[in-house]
Amino acid sequence: MFALRTAAARAIPALAMRAAVLPKAIVVPAFVARAGSVSAVRAFSNSPLAWNKTDKNLVTAIESEIKHEEEQGDEVPDYITEYLKASPFEITNKVGSDEVTMTRKFGNEEIKIVFSVSDINSADDEEELDLEDDLEDNGHQDKESLSASGDDEEEGDDLESLTFPVRCLITITKPSAGSISIDAVAQDGAFIVESISNIKDSALAATSTAEADWEKRGLYSGPPFAELDENLQVEFEKYLEERQIDGDLANFVPNYVFHKDQVEYTHWLKDLKAFVSAK
């Protein structure tokens, strides 16, 4: 697509120069072309035979891709089920939705973590290729072993090489004190906190409408987390770890995103095939 656009852009100046040097009588606007030529073009573009052949070819290509994806299997990997069994977080995953939500209670606190599958696109091409190659070669063994034990340092290094940055919105709410909203990135087995906002209105913190999001953006979010006093940073990270917003979760998030992306892609292909095949 990029190459086509580039070629078209390069062609425009050349066409303009040719039009400038040709006699005016030769430069004829397209809309005054002979009716017979226009009719011929319309007859071709509206030909049911041409469209049906194209549709069938597209459906065949989609079916081939669906078959390839289904051969990879769509079961929930063990490393995901093992983590969720041991974790206090509950996960909400709706098929067709780009967002994933994880929630838990901690004393009188409600904790919610939201992240998006689209963040898989933030990995560069080399990281994506390494990720796919490693998963195919190892059969997810590194992830399963790490989730089951968490003690093998070598396996942990292998798992970290499969991660990519996933942006997370972490909200911690208390009934009578509002909420704090934490912008963070899960990557390489750690949460990198970027900023922290205080939201005194608990109802506003729990609302995810466009108006609420706009209002929350207007709140003071404090200085960048990396510029805070080092001791303050350390203590806040301990605060998150006590709530199990820790390295295990930071590893789980991108791994879950990768799995969900594969599942969603297969559903997307099937929906596309259903649409193209519909009479």
Side-chain angles (χ1 to χ4, degrees), residues 11 34 62 75 107 160 169 199 205 220 266:
R34 287 181 300 169
I62 295 171
E75 296 89 0
E160 287 181 1
L169 179 61
I199 306 175
Y220 177 66
T266 303

Side-chain angles (χ1 to χ4, degrees), residues 32 42 50 52 63 67 77 79 115 122 152 154 172 179 189 191 199 208 215 218-219 236-237 266 269:
V32 297
R42 286 177 178 169
N52 287 340
E63 288 175 340
K67 181 180 178 182
Y79 66 85
F115 53 91
S122 63
D152 194 317
E154 183 178 351
I172 303 176
S179 306
F191 279 101
I199 306 175
S208 58
E215 188 173 347
L219 298 175
F236 190 79
E237 288 168 354
T266 303
L269 286 169

Side-chain angles (χ1 to χ4, degrees), residues 74-83 140 143-144 255 259:
D74 60 356
E75 296 89 0
V76 179
D78 289 344
Y79 66 85
I80 288 179
T81 55
E82 290 297 327
Y83 174 82
H140 298 204
K143 293 183 178 181
E144 293 173 4
N255 291 330
H259 166 68

Side-chain angles (χ1 to χ4, degrees), residues 22-37:
L22 287 173
K24 291 184 178 180
I26 298 179
V27 184
V28 181
F31 62 83
V32 297
R34 287 181 300 169
S37 299

Side-chain angles (χ1 to χ4, degrees), residues 12-182:
I12 289 172
L15 291 173
M17 291 180 64
R18 290 177 188 173
V21 298
L22 287 173
K24 291 184 178 180
I26 298 179
V27 184
V28 181
F31 62 83
V32 297
R34 287 181 300 169
S37 299
V38 174
S39 298
V41 172
R42 286 177 178 169
F44 174 77
S45 63
N46 289 331
S47 169
L49 180 62
W51 278 112
N52 287 340
K53 181 179 179 180
T54 302
D55 292 357
K56 290 177 182 177
N57 290 341
L58 178 55
V59 168
T60 299
I62 295 171
E63 288 175 340
S64 176
E65 185 68 5
I66 291 173
K67 181 180 178 182
H68 172 74
E69 291 301 316
E70 289 182 338
E71 286 174 352
Q72 310 305 314
D74 60 356
E75 296 89 0
V76 179
D78 289 344
Y79 66 85
I80 288 179
T81 55
E82 290 297 327
Y83 174 82
L84 292 175
K85 283 180 182 178
S87 171
F89 283 96
E90 295 182 359
I91 195 163
T92 301
N93 170 33
K94 181 180 178 182
V95 175
S97 174
D98 186 64
E99 285 191 346
V100 178
T101 301
M102 300 185 72
T103 57
R104 70 158 297 186
K105 289 182 177 291
F106 183 79
N108 67 336
E109 299 174 354
E110 296 280 350
I111 300 175
K112 181 171 73 171
I113 303 173
V114 180
F115 53 91
S116 172
V117 175
S118 62
D119 275 5
I120 196 171
N121 298 321
S122 63
D124 61 34
D125 292 340
E126 290 186 5
E127 288 174 335
E128 288 181 2
L129 289 174
D130 290 343
L131 178 63
E132 292 175 358
D133 291 343
D134 287 344
L135 286 176
E136 289 177 2
D137 294 342
N138 298 332
H140 298 204
Q141 290 180 4
D142 293 334
K143 293 183 178 181
E144 293 173 4
S145 299
L146 181 65
S147 297
S149 66
D151 296 327
D152 194 317
E153 187 173 331
E154 183 178 351
E155 289 173 348
D157 292 339
D158 290 339
L159 179 57
E160 287 181 1
S161 69
L162 301 177
T163 64
F164 49 89
V166 178
R167 185 164 294 279
C168 300
L169 179 61
I170 304 167
T171 305
I172 303 176
T173 303
K174 291 184 178 181
S176 60
S179 306
I180 58 172
S181 181
I182 305 157

